[in-house]
Structure formats: structure tokens, C-alpha cells
Amino acid sequence: EVQLVESGGGLVQAGGSLRLSCAASGFTFDDSTIRWFRQAPGKDREGVSCISNSEGSTDYADSVKGRFTISADSAKRSVYLQMNNLKPEDTAVYYCAAITNYRGRCLELALYYDYWGQGTQVTVSS
């Protein structure tokens, strides 16, 4: 059974940092691509950052470039999102999602992602 479990969300002041984790199980980790999405109340879901575990390539939304860093630890079957210099507009539920049985670059559209975690709330106060 494929599972993605996010953790690390919370409440932080603007300018602060959080590190989100996505623990994956039930599929071959190195044959996957994992993307972080976020959704704020009343707003569309947004792709934040992605890592291809087969290629090691990454991408970032313009809104988070220079502040967020995505990484993966194959031994721990986990993907991390280090979020620095957080802003109130980063407030959202953050989800990790995976494309499994896939070796290739990150794909942008949510429809490509087979499995999703339950989400973790990130709240940034001003």
C-alpha cells in the first residue's frame, strides 16, 4: 500500500523557518517524483517544489525560489522541504504527492500525481 505522510507543519512568525517531511512507503522510492503542493483557503492549489528521485533534478515555484529548498534521503525514503524566510502568504495546507513507477523529470500538473498525503498546516503570522 502506497503511503505518503507529511509532518513538520506549525505556526511560525514571519521570517521564521520550518522543515516539512514527507515519509514515503509502498513503492520504489528511486523510481518516483515527489512534489509539494499547497492550498490556502479560497485559493487554487499551487505546486511549490518538486524533486525527481531518479534524476535528482528539482524545480521551484517563482514565489518560493531562494527561500525554500527541497531534498530527498533515499535511505530514509523521505523528501524534505526546508522553508526559510516564511511570509504570511505562505500560509496553507501543504501536501506531498508522488508519481510512482516513473523515471524522469518533474511534471507540473497535479493530475500526473498518483498518490497524495493528508497534508500538514503551515501558518505564518505577521
Side-chain angles (χ1 to χ4, degrees):
E1 178 189 6
V2 173
Q3 283 194 322
L4 298 170
V5 180
E6 302 97 335
S7 61
L11 173 64
V12 65
Q13 289 188 331
S17 298
L18 285 173
R19 187 193 193 210
L20 304 184
S21 299
C22 173
S25 60
F27 59 92
T28 303
F29 188 81
D30 290 346
D31 292 346
S32 70
T33 288
I34 294 179
R35 181 175 290 281
W36 287 97
F37 291 87
R38 67 185 181 187
Q39 188 160 25
K43 294 189 176 181
D44 292 336
R45 183 170 48 195
E46 175 188 18
V48 175
S49 182
C50 177
I51 186 164
S52 165
N53 291 316
S54 61
E55 299 184 342
S57 57
T58 60
D59 71 28
Y60 297 90
D62 288 344
S63 58
V64 306
K65 279 180 182 176
R67 301 188 297 122
F68 291 10
T69 303
I70 193 169
S71 62
D73 184 331
S74 181
K76 294 184 178 179
R77 302 180 55 84
S78 292
V79 170
Y80 306 99
L81 187 68
Q82 178 66 44
M83 306 187 296
N84 297 330
N85 190 21
L86 283 160
K87 303 176 180 181
E89 52 262 44
D90 294 318
T91 295
V93 177
Y94 283 70
Y95 301 89
C96 63
I99 305 173
T100 61
N101 300 312
Y102 171 74
R103 297 182 67 84
R105 63 179 180 85
C106 284
L107 301 178
E108 183 175 349
L109 298 180
L111 63 90
Y112 292 118
Y113 291 80
D114 306 302
Y115 299 96
W116 293 72
Q118 82 289 351
T120 186
Q121 176 71 47
V122 171
T123 303
V124 184
S125 63
S126 57

